Amino acid sequence: MKHIKIFFFLFAMVVLAACTKEDDDLSGVQDIPGLGGDTWVPGSLDAWLHDTMTVPYNIEVKYKWDQFEFDVTKTLVPPREEVVVPAIRAIKKVWIDNYINAAGEVFFKKYSPKFFILSGSASWNDNGTITLGTAEGGRKVVMYLLNDFRTKEMPGYTKRDTGNVKQIFHVIEHEFGHILHQTKMYPPEFKKICAGYYTGNWNNIADAEARRDGFVTAYALSNESEDFVEMIAMMLIEGKAGFDRIVNSIPEGYSANGSSQAQAKDRLRQKEAMVVNYFKASYNIDFYSLQNNTRKSIVQLLY
């Protein structure tokens, strides 16, 4: 028994010595991603983003890959660097410039999110839906699908690309709409227009069917606040004529929930009027002017 104890003691000493020797060797620590080793020398793209977004608007754009900025359970890819400048330039043209023109720089700098995180791909959810953008506390906006961003000035552009680009603009207008209504709440009467129709099952409903109950998109069915900002986003991205086409596309007859064509149209028109009045009363913004200029900017980029 004594010999066994001595052997075990000597064996433990050898193992401890080996572990100590390995633990003392920290030469590879600087290569562990996320722990200070994943640094890079800022280049021309970083300088352009700094001069274009950070200096004038105090908005930082992060395009270098950092998995911990996203849901770690999702499989994503970083944006290609060649799409970053045209995407940010287009966002500035469609969103920043038009809001500043409508409400001034003080307004925009006060309410705009301060941190943009870019992902090259979309974020797929377990229920089959796609997350195309998220916002955190009105300060951080995560934008997905940047690798599919292509305007008519970019190589390989086709008309099929317009949907991807408009979706990215939609995400920004949607998330900015949340910031605005979380700062100054929309009228409580808005919630009454489609009371009883909201559902967590919106992902199984097509936009066309949602419109037959007075919703501008299926996602607007998820709750009243999403309904409000979906109205803002769709009205801005599609323009007045485009929104009118959506309303007029509702067919005769009744929805599965019993809504008539007249009821559905009336609900959308009520929501439209509330959005317009909200922007004027809360922020002194002429929404129809903002809508017209936003749509013009999109047309110049895509058509």
Side-chain angles (χ1 to χ4, degrees):
M1 179 65 71
K2 183 176 180 181
H3 293 300
I4 293 175
K5 288 182 178 179
I6 293 174
F7 174 77
F8 178 79
F9 176 75
L10 291 175
F11 176 76
M13 287 290 290
V14 171
V15 172
L16 179 61
C19 290
T20 302
K21 183 177 180 181
E22 290 179 1
D23 289 345
D24 286 342
D25 183 10
L26 302 178
S27 60
V29 167
Q30 66 270 22
D31 297 325
I32 300 176
L35 293 181
D38 51 339
T39 59
W40 69 90
V41 177
S44 58
L45 176 54
D46 301 277
W48 184 87
L49 288 171
H50 178 77
D51 294 341
T52 304
M53 298 292 282
T54 308
V55 172
Y57 312 116
N58 195 28
I59 297 174
E60 181 180 353
V61 179
K62 186 172 183 178
Y63 67 95
K64 291 291 186 179
W65 187 246
D66 183 351
Q67 177 64 59
F68 297 104
E69 294 287 1
F70 307 95
D71 184 341
V72 296
T73 66
K74 302 296 178 64
T75 301
L76 303 167
V77 300
R80 299 193 307 271
E81 292 193 6
E82 62 266 25
V83 306
V84 174
V85 168
I88 295 300
R89 185 181 287 127
I91 289 168
K92 180 180 180 300
K93 178 182 178 70
V94 170
W95 174 55
I96 297 178
D97 291 351
N98 287 312
Y99 261 106
I100 289 178
N101 181 57
E105 285 194 7
V106 173
F107 163 88
F108 184 78
K109 291 177 180 179
K110 180 178 181 179
Y111 296 113
S112 64
K114 302 306 177 187
F115 201 23
F116 278 8
I117 310 296
L118 308 184
S119 169
S121 57
S123 178
W124 285 90
N125 303 312
D126 293 338
N127 62 3
T129 61
I130 302 176
T131 298
L132 295 173
T134 59
E136 296 180 11
R139 286 301 175 222
K140 172 181 171 182
V141 173
V142 181
M143 296 168 51
Y144 300 90
L145 215 61
L146 262 291
N147 286 344
D148 288 338
F149 188 95
R150 191 177 293 110
T151 65
K152 68 180 183 180
E153 297 177 351
M154 299 172 67
Y157 169 81
T158 69
K159 288 186 177 181
R160 288 178 296 180
D161 295 313
T162 60
N164 296 330
V165 177
K166 284 168 61 180
Q167 189 61 57
I168 290 175
F169 294 149
H170 183 109
V171 167
I172 295 172
E173 302 290 3
H174 177 107
E175 300 301 346
F176 193 52
H178 275 309
I179 293 172
L180 296 181
H181 88 70
Q182 288 165 2
T183 304
K184 297 182 181 181
M185 191 59 177
Y186 51 83
E189 291 77 16
F190 185 89
K191 298 180 180 181
K192 300 176 183 179
I193 298 173
C194 285
Y197 288 88
Y198 295 100
T199 174
N201 196 40
W202 63 269
N203 54 296
N204 292 320
I205 300 172
D207 285 347
E209 189 60 31
R211 289 166 184 162
R212 299 192 72 170
D213 282 319
F215 294 90
V216 71
T217 64
Y219 186 50
L221 281 159
S222 57
N223 61 60
E224 296 90 344
S225 293
E226 299 300 342
D227 190 6
F228 187 73
V229 297
E230 277 293 277
M231 283 292 299
I232 293 172
M234 288 295 287
M235 288 169 68
L236 289 175
I237 299 305
E238 298 301 331
K240 184 68 169 68
F243 180 74
D244 288 345
R245 282 193 294 271
I246 288 173
V247 175
N248 294 328
S249 70
I250 299 172
E252 295 181 355
Y254 293 85
S255 72
N257 294 314
S259 301
S260 68
Q261 179 193 51
Q263 287 175 318
K265 288 185 175 182
D266 181 63
R267 290 167 188 162
L268 283 170
R269 291 303 185 189
Q270 287 185 59
K271 293 177 184 180
E272 177 188 17
M274 284 196 181
V275 166
V276 172
N277 292 336
Y278 167 83
F279 269 75
K280 187 64 177 178
S282 299
Y283 298 105
N284 196 30
I285 293 176
D286 182 338
F287 187 87
Y288 283 130
S289 176
L290 173 64
Q291 181 185 45
N292 183 54
N293 290 330
T294 300
R295 180 61 185 177
K296 281 184 178 178
S297 298
I298 293 173
V299 169
Q300 291 170 3
L301 287 167
L302 298 179
Y303 302 102

